[in-house]
Amino acid sequence: HLKTDDFALYGKKILLCEDNPLNAEITCALLQKKGIETVVAQNGAEGFTLFSDSSIGAFDAILMDIRMPVMNGHEAAKAIRALDRPDAKTIPIIAMSADAFNENVQEAIENGMNAYLTKPVDTEMLYRKLWETIEKDKK
């Protein structure tokens, strides 16, 4: 059984793309419990801009809601992956959606996402997916 080290996520910086203020607040609170700094974007376009304007390596991962106004999660993930900067191809992007069908998961993977979390988000699964996708880069 994989036990995520309580300090493994401490000090990490996550970009959270989530248009629902309550969901964003809950997710931020969960991340703060592990010492994770969170920057919130209210839609995919804002998330894309925050990532593209950040310094290389500024974010350790992106939590990407799928259904958002202006630019949805699929469009935002594709746009981030298409950026001409070294971390654009490697940053872990984790989809978050209430849709749990295989085709939704497959579409997220095809659009450049590394993992998929269903909402409401299971707290331990959130920590585990972040830990797995961030640490995978380091091996």
Side-chain angles (χ1 to χ4, degrees):
H1 176 65
L2 176 71
K3 174 76 179 103
T4 54
D5 175 4
D6 279 343
F7 301 106
L9 295 171
Y10 188 85
K12 299 292 185 206
K13 189 171 179 181
I14 305 295
L15 174 58
L16 172 64
C17 301
E18 170 63 76
D19 62 314
N20 179 307
L22 183 62
N23 287 349
E25 195 179 319
I26 291 167
T27 306
C28 285
L30 292 172
L31 295 172
Q32 282 166 350
K33 270 188 189 164
K34 291 285 186 187
I36 299 167
E37 185 185 338
T38 313
V39 175
V40 180
Q42 292 173 358
N43 60 59
E46 191 180 315
F48 172 77
T49 302
L50 282 167
F51 181 81
S52 60
D53 291 350
S54 69
S55 57
I56 290 172
F59 292 105
D60 294 291
I62 301 171
L63 289 170
M64 183 74 73
D65 184 34
I66 298 296
R67 292 192 197 152
M68 291 183 290
V70 188
M71 182 188 268
N72 71 34
H74 295 298
E75 295 162 339
K78 272 178 147 155
I80 287 168
R81 292 292 187 224
L83 285 169
D84 186 21
R85 51 185 277 174
D87 57 348
K89 306 277 184 272
T90 58
I91 186 158
I93 303 177
I94 301 170
M96 296 196 314
S97 177
D99 302 320
F101 302 107
N102 282 340
E103 58 266 23
N104 301 115
V105 177
Q106 194 54 44
E107 186 181 3
I109 302 300
E110 285 167 8
N111 285 313
M113 303 200 208
N114 303 78
Y116 197 94
L117 287 170
T118 51
K119 290 179 176 180
V121 172
D122 173 272
T123 309
E124 275 310 307
M125 190 54 80
L126 170 68
Y127 298 145
R128 180 175 299 159
K129 288 282 185 209
L130 280 171
W131 185 80
E132 285 173 353
T133 55
I134 292 170
E135 293 304 310
K136 197 172 67 182
D137 285 354
K138 302 211 164 71
K139 289 186 170 80

